[in-house]
Amino acid sequence: GIPLEFYERLAEGEWTRLTDSRMGQLLLHNHLDVFRTHIKRADSVLELGAGAGRLTKELVPLCGSLVTSDLSPVQLEINRRKMEELGLSSRIRDFRILDVTNLNELPRASFDIVVCTGGVLNYVHDKEKEAIGGILRVTRPGGTAILGVMSLIGTVLRFAKGIRNEKERYGLGAMQWLLDTGIPDAACYPV
């Protein structure tokens, strides 16, 4: 689908997304504060939608065991390579291609912490029950699910300067589609 194609094209750009702007750095530090508050050294952690590994790099020293995953083989390979370059790959139990809407291959109650931040849950659309249900199923009783989503208002504020240009480039109908659905669908909003 569109999110997979987008992130496969983005490739290495995903690695610098949280460090190349003040907004990105703020998001990174907010994530780190949450991680440090909830993740303990003995915890087994599942990271869903890990992308190129910018947050993976931060999770490794916080937990006892980490399984990192993404839907995109391209992003997961970049993640693996970055962790090898940083000398962290030996501390990661597994790199897995996983779809957050279908975690059935993972055993029930197998992780103390499940981390699913960024835009992952924004892309599940009508499969939110499968995604949240799967996350809760693989989280141990008493464990923690650290979830995040991108808000429409946050996105509009972040990209406010470009909205006029987007309207001129793609038309009012495409802008309405994007604001109503949050999906840059190729049929309604050329990517």
Side-chain angles (χ1 to χ4, degrees):
I2 290 184
L4 178 60
E5 294 166 12
F6 173 80
Y7 284 102
E8 294 216 335
R9 276 196 320 270
L10 183 60
E12 292 277 341
E14 179 64 7
W15 176 256
T16 59
R17 183 176 58 82
L18 294 176
T19 56
D20 63 359
S21 70
R22 286 186 189 155
M23 178 63 83
Q25 292 168 15
L26 178 62
L27 288 171
L28 174 61
H29 287 288
N30 284 339
H31 282 80
L32 295 179
D33 285 345
V34 172
F35 294 166
R36 289 181 189 125
T37 299
H38 295 284
I39 299 173
K40 307 298 179 251
R41 186 67 183 106
D43 287 337
S44 63
V45 175
L46 169 64
E47 180 186 23
L48 296 165
R54 189 60 191 83
L55 293 177
T56 306
K57 172 185 176 238
E58 307 299 338
L59 288 168
V60 169
L62 296 176
C63 65
S65 169
L66 178 64
V67 172
T68 189
S69 70
D70 200 276
L71 180 62
S72 164
V74 170
Q75 288 295 316
L76 199 60
E77 185 52 38
I78 293 169
N79 188 315
R80 183 189 311 269
R81 190 180 76 245
K82 294 287 186 184
M83 295 312 113
E84 286 172 3
E85 290 170 5
L86 294 166
L88 299 173
S89 61
S90 65
R91 302 223 11 235
I92 298 173
R93 187 172 55 167
D94 200 4
F95 291 87
R96 300 196 51 180
I97 295 173
L98 291 174
D99 180 341
V100 70
T101 65
N102 182 1
L103 299 177
N104 294 332
E105 68 186 75
L106 298 175
R108 178 177 300 282
S110 50
F111 297 94
D112 298 306
I113 309 281
V114 176
V115 173
C116 185
T117 60
V120 178
L121 293 174
N122 288 80
Y123 298 124
V124 300
H125 307 301
D126 61 339
K127 294 185 177 183
E128 66 275 354
K129 288 182 182 174
E130 291 89 340
I132 299 299
I135 289 169
L136 295 176
R137 188 184 67 75
V138 302
T139 304
R140 290 193 177 116
T144 301
I146 300 173
L147 309 177
V149 294
M150 298 180 297
S151 71
L152 177 59
I153 190 66
T155 302
V156 169
L157 290 173
R158 182 171 183 194
F159 297 107
K161 292 179 185 174
I163 289 176
R164 181 177 181 172
N165 294 338
E166 293 287 302
K167 182 184 112 326
E168 290 171 6
R169 182 174 178 187
Y170 299 115
L172 190 56
M175 286 303 298
Q176 186 65 47
W177 169 266
L178 184 64
L179 291 171
D180 286 347
T181 66
I183 306 167
D185 184 276
C188 300
Y189 193 91
V191 218

